[in-house]
Amino acid sequence: MKVFNGKTAADDYMSSHTLTFSTPELTLTRFAFWLGDMVPDPKNPGQQMPRIMNFVEERDFAPTPLVDDDTFVPTGAMKTIGGLYGSVGTPTDASTKFCPECGSKLSTIAKFCTECGANQD
């Protein structure tokens, strides 16, 4: 898959340009024009191409594994903090339940226990 390496492009731009007396909008505008400048094509002598093409590279990405809802086991990276769990829109008063496996307090819409990983369906 061809992807734009924006970090390399930004580093290259910033190494030769100053931010003195620049606003974020002005810097972004200048960066966009800089990417659009025509430069010599290193693969085709005598030809030109937009500078942005120097930062397009071929990358091979591994497929993202899907989460199987029936066999999901939490890693412990996410823990409940202060008894709060769920989305911002989830009411925190009477809309809670307890895990039948470990007894942890959960949101009524939780599919898995945040402590033991037990399926809540």
Side-chain angles (χ1 to χ4, degrees):
M1 166 187 293
K2 290 188 178 191
V3 295
F4 171 65
N5 189 338
K7 181 175 182 349
T8 303
D11 288 345
D12 194 19
Y13 177 79
M14 295 306 295
S15 68
S16 59
H17 294 80
T18 180
L19 291 178
T20 307
F21 306 113
S22 288
T23 63
E25 293 84 11
L26 184 57
T27 302
L28 185 58
T29 301
R30 288 181 178 168
F31 178 60
F33 284 133
W34 179 80
L35 285 173
D37 286 346
M38 297 301 284
V39 296
D41 186 348
K43 295 179 183 174
N44 300 313
Q47 298 291 320
Q48 290 190 330
M49 65 179 191
R51 181 178 276 123
I52 194 170
M53 297 308 293
N54 287 324
F55 302 101
V56 174
E57 49 192 49
E58 189 72 31
R59 287 208 186 153
D60 194 16
F61 291 98
T64 305
L66 297 175
V67 176
D68 182 7
D69 288 344
D70 296 327
T71 59
F72 174 74
V73 177
T75 63
M78 297 293 290
K79 291 285 186 183
T80 57
I81 299 173
L84 297 176
Y85 178 72
S87 66
V88 175
T90 304
T92 57
D93 51 348
S95 62
T96 57
K97 65 180 178 181
F98 295 92
C99 175
E101 297 293 321
C102 71
S104 295
K105 190 174 182 179
L106 303 171
S107 166
T108 56
I109 60 171
K111 293 181 80 174
F112 298 96
C113 176
T114 56
E115 297 298 322
C116 69
N119 193 339
Q120 300 297 307
D121 290 333

